Structures are given as C-alpha cells and as structure tokens.
Amino acid sequence: MENALDTLRRWITGSRKMVFFGGAGVSTESGIPDFRGAGGLYSQEFDEPAEVMLSRQYFFTHTEKFYEFYKRKVLAPDAKPNPAHIKLARWEADGKLLAVITQNIDGLHQAAGSKHVLELHGSAGCNHCVKCAAAYSLSDIMSARGVPRCRCGGIIKPDVVLYGEPLDDGVFRAAVTALDQADLLLVAGTSLSVYPAAGLINAYHGEHIALINHTPTDRDHMADLIIRDSVGAVLAGID
Ligand code: ZN
C-alpha cells in the first residue's frame, strides 16, 4: 500500500497549479516562535495575552508596551528561510506552483525567492507613519528606542493586521482567485480551523487537499491526506 508521503509525492509531481497555504508552523523551523501556540506565549513576562497586546486598540493606547512585546516576541530579523520556503520557491520557478498564501508576516517566502506571496496578515517589513504615511523599514523599527517615530513626529505603525483589524481586501481576493484556479492545495503549519483558512478553502475546487501539521484539529476531515510531521522535513523530501 502507498504510504502518505508517496501519495503526496505523486500528487505534487502531477500538479501544475499548486497553491500552498501556510501558517506559523512554517516559520517555527526558522526559529520564529508561534505566539499563538500553546505554551508559546509570553507566559509570565507580559501581563496580557497576545490577542490583547497585538490588538489595534492596544497599539494606540499602549504603544510603548506594544512595541516592547512586538520587538521581543514577534519579530525575528535574523531568521533565515528553511527547506520549506526554499522548496516552494523552486516549485514556483519550475512553473508548478501558482501562489503561496501565508498567515506569517516575516517575509521569509520572498527571502527564499518566491514571487507570488499573498500575506493575509501583512508584512513586518513594511511600516508607515500614521500621520503622514511615510514608509519605514524593519531596521528602522528595530533600531528605534522606545516608540518608533516619523520625522514628522507621528507614530510609525507596522503594516501587519492586528487583532481587531480587517484583512486587506485585495490580498484576500487574490487568495480566493489563486485557490479557485488551483489543482492541488497544500495546507501546512496551520490548523484549518483558524480564521480565515476555513472560509478561504471553500474557494478551492481541485481534487485533493493535503495537510501537514503536527497536531490534530477539528477540521482535519476537510483534508484528503494528513501528514503529522514538520513542513520542512516533508517538503525537502519531495522533488
Ligand atoms: Zn510622518
């Protein structure tokens, strides 16, 4: 009997319009902590849960504490792409992969060479002044002491989707378009129950959904194939 990895290998070999949907688990192998993960949380160090500290309201009412948490627990400017990022970039270059849809904000897919990356939660690499909209880089944020401020005096805000903020409409629609065209959907490092994964997957009409995730979720029944392993290890083993 064909094992799960062989089945996935066969599907990927036969695919010409693959779409990859990834979550925090894709970046943990690059050393970026999953701040939503059980036990991954800022535990005793910070008073509030991540859902509060990374909310739009907290950003504007406790900007200094927001940045303290964000810089220490969310950003990882020295992280490098891992074998999963690298393999996905190669599949795109080979004309097998339509798009990477990601919930991560770390820019590692682009660092690995991927071109069509749909960042549902925005990008830590882009930051703008809330007053005059001037653009700032990640290193501007990292090097600032206290709250990063614009030349005009305004507060600089990361272009990431905070709790309490809507997803970018253009990115969401591009993700729906890619899923609608896909002939294979690979979901990895995220549970299908996390918003907006569950809803987005309804836009997919291809034959197979493969899920690579360490832990079971209540949406596992949506997948035709489940592999409980690390994303990098699985993708590195497929050509
Ligand atoms: Zn400004």
Side-chain angles (χ1 to χ4, degrees), residues 14 23 47 54 69 116 132 140 221:
D47 308 334
L54 297 175
F69 179 77
H116 196 207
C132 76
D140 292 327
H221 64 271

Side-chain angles (χ1 to χ4, degrees), residues 129-134 136 150-154:
C129 170
V130 297
K131 232 166 125 187
C132 76
Y136 290 89
C150 178
R151 285 175 293 275
C152 82

Side-chain angles (χ1 to χ4, degrees), residues 122-161:
S123 168
C126 301
N127 306 272
H128 287 90
C129 170
V130 297
K131 232 166 125 187
C132 76
Y136 290 89
S137 70
L138 179 57
S139 59
D140 292 327
I141 301 297
M142 291 310 294
S143 61
R145 279 194 289 165
V147 174
R149 288 199 176 267
C150 178
R151 285 175 293 275
C152 82
I155 294 166
I156 301 172
K157 186 171 180 286
D159 289 9
V160 302
V161 178

